[in-house]
Amino acid sequence: MRANFTQAAGLGTGPMSFEPYRTQAHFELERERIFRRTWLIMGRIEDVPNAGDYIVKEVEICNASILITRQASGAVKAFHNICSHRGNQVVWDTKGTRKTMFRCPYHNWTYGNDGKLLAVSDEKMFFNLDKKKCGLDSVQCDVWDGWIFINLNPDNRVSLREYLGSMGEFLSGIPYPNAHRSIRIQAYLKCNWKFLIDAFSESYHIPVLHSKTIGPTFSGKINPMSHLQNAEFFGPHHSISLFGNPDYKPEEAALVEKLAYAGMVSENVLAANQSQDTMDLRAHRSVNPAKSQTWSMDINEIFPNFHLDVAGGGFWTHEIWPITQDFSRYEMRFFVPKPETVREAFHQEHYIARLADVVLEDLANVERTHKGVAAGVKKQMHLQEHEVLIRRMLKLHEEFEESATLEEALKRCAWADSPDTAEPALEPVA
Amino acid sequence: MRIVATVPSGERPLPAGFESLEPFVTYWAVAGQNERRHQRCDTTFEEIRRFYDAMLPRADAAMQHLSGFPLRDMPGPEARLMRLVLSLAQASMAVEVQGSARVPNAPWPDTVRILTEETL
């Protein structure tokens, strides 16, 4: 457990410039030096459970449409979803099962799910077409702890494991309950993508902005401003632990909430699972790493745009995708059990309804913030101790944008590793 | 976007004993979490409150009744009753949490979509 997070992170304490949030030049740098270089989250291995299953993901900032397929060998592969004929997308839906061939709906060019071009309609009318050279372009793809990542740089030489580095080791082995089933909340926002990163990187706003929804869960008498419980720094990645109010109870008038949670022994209102089903999760050395008695959840940020949040009652993710300088796609994914009874379905409906409201409180807010910053009136923002991740994110961006390669960026981000970072205990703490 | 639940001719809207909830079927017994959230956001606080006040005292009895049917294969009247129960969770956000139909100061319509793997 550390105090003085900003200092421990090796950061200054002065105001921070708003320019990265509002200039096209910064956006171009982010495209070239971050999104075209770093490993990017695509999904879970459970999204493509069987040979022939596939998903299609968009990386709008790079104009990339990525096809992820599960091979007969069990391997997961990624390809640019671009037909070798005239450049159309080969796959037009976003997911499918047990499909080992993809036929481009434009002129019927047909590819195997290993990327090979299998057939060309009316082939004899082409001129010296070498089908062997006309497969789908493969994209570097690797899996870490069930999470599928890609790298859009064909010359990339940094493995996913090297990229995740000590963060990967820190989080490795977390058992993810219900990884096979999720509910997504998706939204398109008129804001720079970093406002979304910031919105989900600090708890200072929770008792204020979310005063009616989750404020009472994350703040209380002993911690009214929802101060962080812990922060850990790992190269370009980081992890914080949030306070949980041990005195939280539904309000007397919250009769539906009580009905929804009747018969549910769970950790708190962010619990999608029964307590007994998340014991392994809570016992993991890096879940609530300080093993605080007043803990609610960890926010684990994998650079540049993936949050893997773990709470006592389960886990969820945020993906934040820039589209243009002032337009972004946001996707939150809750991993939840399959309801078997009406009462379970009712609980889940209540759970997601509350989260949709919480998220909307944040989403409406990022558009307002973008507008304020884009006005160009204010030059800089003032960040406090418990907003350390925002300060750190801006510093990490600077390091990436000034680096010629990903290798260099990772080296430069080593300043950020706190020298006294303790090795996590190997055995689970009871 | 206008979404409604329809009752096939010859079917009763809801199981026997739940007739008092019939006026709410068309608007609130819609399939899909995203659709039920839409209904809650697209009406007035007074309408939500009217549904909440009628539905809350019957919710437990409704779930009791529905427990005798398979969740994913209910007869029409039971499926509509189940969707009314699920809509109560949506309505409760307005009544018990926000004190207004929607999140205050958030735009409507919005671009938020709830995407589920199955439609209940």
Side-chain angles (χ1 to χ4, degrees):
Chain A
M1 186 130 169
R2 59 177 93 245
N4 301 322
F5 304 126
T6 307
Q7 196 185 4
L11 296 163
T13 54
M16 301 296 285
S17 170
F18 275 135
E19 291 310 305
Y21 294 85
R22 62 186 172 200
T23 68
Q24 189 61 30
H26 266 100
F27 189 72
E28 300 301 332
L29 275 173
E30 288 164 359
R31 185 201 324 271
E32 298 308 322
R33 305 226 150 168
I34 296 177
F35 284 89
R36 282 198 196 281
R37 278 184 187 164
T38 57
W39 285 90
L40 300 171
I41 186 73
M42 291 286 108
R44 282 289 305 175
I45 199 93
E46 290 84 355
D47 298 340
V48 282
N50 302 304
D53 293 353
Y54 68 93
I55 50 174
V56 175
K57 294 285 179 183
E58 303 299 315
V59 184
E60 291 94 337
I61 187 172
C62 300
N63 278 323
S65 173
I66 305 295
L67 170 65
I68 311 266
T69 67
R70 178 72 84 127
Q71 307 291 301
S73 68
V76 177
K77 289 195 169 179
F79 304 95
H80 283 287
N81 180 23
I82 304 171
C83 184
S84 304
H85 175 215
R86 279 168 54 199
N88 205 331
Q89 268 77 74
V90 175
V91 183
W92 293 4
D93 52 9
T94 57
K95 62 177 179 179
T97 54
R98 298 181 189 276
K99 201 167 166 184
T100 52
M101 283 194 300
F102 300 101
R103 187 165 291 147
C104 179
Y106 197 4
H107 300 92
N108 270 351
W109 281 40
T110 304
Y111 302 86
N113 77 340
D114 57 358
K116 287 197 184 95
L117 176 61
L118 300 177
V120 171
S121 59
D122 208 13
E123 185 179 350
K124 58 184 182 299
M125 288 294 114
F126 280 90
F127 310 94
N128 305 317
L129 184 72
D130 185 352
K131 280 197 295 193
K132 285 196 191 67
K133 290 183 179 159
C134 293
L136 297 174
D137 296 273
S138 65
V139 174
Q140 287 190 23
C141 180
D142 201 358
V143 177
W144 162 79
D145 260 26
W147 300 100
I148 304 170
F149 287 80
I150 56 148
N151 190 302
L152 288 173
N153 176 7
D155 303 319
N156 170 59
R157 292 149 72 97
V158 177
S159 71
L160 176 61
R161 260 154 202 79
E162 288 169 299
Y163 179 69
L164 296 173
S166 49
M167 179 71 153
E169 288 161 30
F170 180 69
L171 297 177
S172 76
I174 291 180
Y176 295 107
N178 302 305
H180 62 284
R181 190 174 184 280
S182 66
I183 295 178
R184 291 165 196 266
I185 299 181
Q186 183 198 67
Y188 287 86
L189 286 311
K190 288 179 267 180
C191 73
N192 183 269
W193 67 287
K194 294 189 296 302
F195 289 116
L196 283 155
I197 299 279
D198 294 356
F200 299 103
S201 295
E202 51 91 359
S203 52
Y204 179 36
H205 75 285
I206 294 180
V208 185
L209 183 71
H210 302 303
S211 61
K212 288 180 176 168
T213 44
I214 49 166
T217 306
F218 287 94
S219 59
K221 248 181 270 160
I222 56 171
N223 188 355
M225 288 315 296
S226 193
H227 285 170
L228 299 181
Q229 302 267 287
N230 193 36
E232 303 284 345
F233 311 113
F234 307 97
H237 320 290
H238 38 224
S239 171
I240 53 174
S241 301
L242 270 51
F243 172 78
N245 179 11
D247 305 323
Y248 175 78
K249 275 198 234 51
E251 289 195 30
E252 279 308 304
L255 299 171
V256 171
E257 177 176 341
K258 286 182 190 161
L259 190 60
Y261 283 78
M264 175 102 189
V265 181
S266 67
E267 293 300 302
N268 59 34
V269 296
L270 289 179
N273 299 277
Q274 301 270 1
S275 262
Q276 62 193 37
D277 298 330
T278 57
M279 268 163 62
D280 292 353
L281 176 77
R282 279 177 282 132
H284 188 277
R285 63 185 187 276
S286 302
V287 171
N288 182 11
K291 298 298 167 198
S292 159
Q293 295 299 306
T294 52
W295 167 84
S296 58
M297 62 178 281
D298 300 323
I299 299 176
N300 301 301
E301 300 194 12
I302 293 175
F303 192 84
N305 69 333
F306 180 50
H307 291 194
L308 170 49
D309 294 353
V310 181
F315 74 107
W316 60 88
T317 62
H318 303 266
E319 291 174 36
I320 292 155
W321 295 99
I323 297 174
T324 62
Q325 199 280 328
D326 55 2
F327 193 52
S328 307
R329 173 168 58 90
Y330 166 79
E331 213 168 282
M332 195 173 190
R333 203 173 167 193
F334 299 94
F335 294 80
V336 292
K338 186 173 180 179
E340 296 301 340
T341 66
V342 172
R343 283 185 197 276
E344 285 169 11
F346 180 59
H347 169 260
Q348 210 164 85
E349 185 102 0
H350 190 275
Y351 173 71
I352 296 294
R354 184 202 306 261
L355 289 164
D357 265 33
V358 173
V359 165
L360 190 57
E361 287 169 345
D362 286 305
L363 298 185
N365 208 55
V366 291
E367 292 193 342
R368 280 188 291 264
T369 311
H370 181 98
K371 186 178 164 184
V373 171
V377 175
K378 299 282 188 195
K379 302 293 173 233
Q380 54 194 19
M381 61 176 157
H382 304 275
L383 295 169
Q384 61 121 290
E385 164 76 347
H386 295 274
E387 296 173 300
V388 59
L389 291 199
I390 299 178
R391 194 183 284 283
R392 196 167 184 276
M393 180 276 288
L394 289 165
K395 176 82 173 151
L396 294 166
H397 272 232
E398 225 176 270
E399 302 291 9
F400 269 78
E401 287 159 17
E402 288 171 9
S403 298
T405 62
L406 178 58
E407 287 90 327
E408 186 191 334
L410 291 178
K411 264 190 212 124
R412 291 173 72 126
C413 289
W415 59 262
D417 287 316
S418 316
D420 58 345
T421 299
E423 286 296 311
L426 286 177
E427 65 282 1
V429 178
Chain B
M1 175 157 74
R2 187 165 174 269
I3 313 169
V4 291
T6 52
V7 181
S9 60
E11 263 189 35
R12 46 185 313 146
L14 293 173
F18 295 94
E19 289 81 0
S20 65
L21 298 172
E22 284 178 6
F24 300 102
V25 166
T26 305
Y27 191 83
W28 292 103
V30 295
Q33 248 179 81
N34 190 52
E35 287 71 12
R36 287 186 288 271
R37 172 180 181 269
H38 175 274
Q39 299 300 75
R40 168 246 165 153
C41 293
D42 203 44
T43 189
T44 62
F45 185 73
E46 291 64 36
E47 281 301 310
I48 298 171
R49 178 96 229 188
R50 214 161 60 80
F51 167 64
Y52 175 96
D53 287 343
M55 191 65 222
L56 178 60
R58 304 308 316 281
D60 209 51
M63 289 195 275
Q64 196 70 41
H65 173 80
L66 294 170
S67 65
F69 297 86
L71 183 64
R72 291 170 181 84
D73 189 24
M74 291 202 187
E78 273 72 19
R80 285 183 286 277
L81 182 62
M82 173 186 76
R83 288 168 186 148
L84 286 184
V85 169
L86 298 179
S87 276
L88 178 63
Q90 302 287 343
S92 75
M93 289 303 129
V95 175
E96 296 181 0
V97 179
Q98 302 290 5
S100 65
R102 297 185 295 277
V103 172
N105 304 311
W108 181 257
D110 59 34
T111 63
V112 175
R113 295 289 170 270
I114 298 175
L115 309 170
T116 51
E117 288 173 20
E118 63 175 336
T119 305
L120 284 179

